[in-house]
Amino acid sequence: NAGVTQTPKFQVLKTGQSMTLQCAQDMNHEYMSWYRQDPGMGLRLIHYSVGAGITDQGEVPNGYNVSRSTTEDFPLRLLSAAPSQTSVYFCASSYFNEQFFGPGTRLTVL
Amino acid sequence: GENVEQHPSTLSVQEGDSAVIKCTYSDSASNYFPWYKQELGKRPQLIIDIRSNVGEKKDQRIAVTLNKTAKHFSLHITETQPEDSAVYFCAATSLSGYSTLTFGKGTMLLVSP
């Protein structure tokens, strides 16, 4: 099993550009989440999904969209990137509340 | 919603000493408390967790204690080694249905040889 995979590993965007961070898992987990990690702030929940077709907002959802068309994939879309979205993004899938994290995407918005 | 406070933000110990990291939570419905270790540039990894029907859980040099009345839980690492150096995060959630994990802000542990 590959577990949770994320692409790309690194990305630099200009303010106003849009992009999609990809996340996939092969463990057949129903629950998936997106977090952002900023220095001194811990991990903050952006959006999550409890199954295909169902998504909900977390603590910091503004500026991000998600969709969940399959159990395996949970992409995160930045609609119009802003410097405040510079961060490390982690996708996770969950089984009985244990979170399995992907390797992360380091995003810089100039 | 849940609020998790974690202390200290940084902790320096000598190799062989013990390290203790403390967390408090606000939601009395929370009943699952995991701890994650994150090495520099890597993903968080679960190291131990505890559920509210037990007060203490141990796994080799790592232990977690829970006081539900006071709403706090702690991570104890004994006989620390340089490879224990990392950022540690506590978290809290409810096991009823699906509840999101709320994380503390992290503790950077530095173990000096």
Side-chain angles (χ1 to χ4, degrees):
Chain A
N1 285 351
V4 181
T5 58
Q6 291 182 237
T7 55
K9 291 185 179 178
F10 301 94
Q11 184 69 50
V12 178
L13 292 178
K14 294 182 180 178
T15 297
Q17 287 184 316
S18 62
M19 79 159 295
T20 298
L21 280 63
Q22 301 291 345
C23 174
Q25 53 96 6
D26 61 359
M27 297 175 282
N28 204 32
H29 290 167
E30 290 294 327
Y31 307 133
M32 296 186 74
S33 309
W34 274 102
Y35 296 88
R36 61 176 289 173
Q37 185 174 32
D38 303 293
M41 297 297 292
L43 290 145
R44 292 183 292 169
L45 183 66
I46 304 171
H47 285 286
Y48 66 98
S49 169
V50 299
I54 306 169
T55 63
D56 206 347
Q57 296 181 351
E59 180 186 354
V60 288
N62 292 343
Y64 307 95
N65 271 0
V66 292
S67 59
R68 184 96 180 271
S69 56
T70 67
T71 299
E72 294 77 21
D73 299 300
F74 190 40
L76 179 72
R77 297 182 187 83
L78 279 71
L79 308 172
S80 177
S84 61
Q85 294 179 303
T86 293
S87 188
V88 179
Y89 291 84
F90 287 100
C91 177
S93 69
S94 307
Y95 182 73
F96 285 104
N97 289 95
E98 180 178 348
Q99 305 264 324
F100 297 84
F101 287 91
T105 294
R106 184 173 294 274
L107 175 68
T108 301
V109 183
L110 303 175
Chain B
E2 176 66 279
N3 182 47
V4 177
E5 299 282 342
Q6 183 172 346
H7 299 280
S9 56
T10 58
L11 180 58
S12 294
V13 300
Q14 292 290 121
E15 182 177 0
D17 288 350
S18 295
V20 180
I21 302 170
K22 298 182 178 181
C23 290
T24 61
Y25 63 97
S26 61
D27 189 350
S28 57
S30 289
N31 53 11
Y32 175 66
F33 308 94
W35 286 89
Y36 288 83
K37 176 183 180 181
Q38 186 179 29
E39 295 174 345
L40 189 63
K42 297 195 175 178
R43 73 191 83 185
Q45 301 237 323
L46 179 71
I47 55 171
I48 196 167
D49 58 17
I50 192 167
R51 298 174 188 231
S52 63
N53 56 342
V54 297
E56 182 174 0
K57 185 176 178 181
K58 206 170 182 180
D59 182 4
Q60 299 183 333
R61 296 185 297 108
I62 293 173
V64 57
T65 59
L66 171 65
N67 183 329
K68 279 223 82 177
T69 303
K71 294 185 190 167
H72 65 71
F73 55 112
S74 301
L75 178 71
H76 304 254
I77 305 174
T78 58
E79 301 171 25
T80 54
Q81 301 166 2
E83 50 266 39
D84 293 329
S85 296
V87 179
Y88 292 80
F89 293 97
C90 63
T93 190
S94 168
L95 287 171
S96 299
Y98 178 77
S99 294
T100 58
L101 271 178
T102 301
F103 286 85
K105 288 185 167 56
T107 296
M108 180 175 292
L109 174 64
L110 178 62
V111 182
S112 303

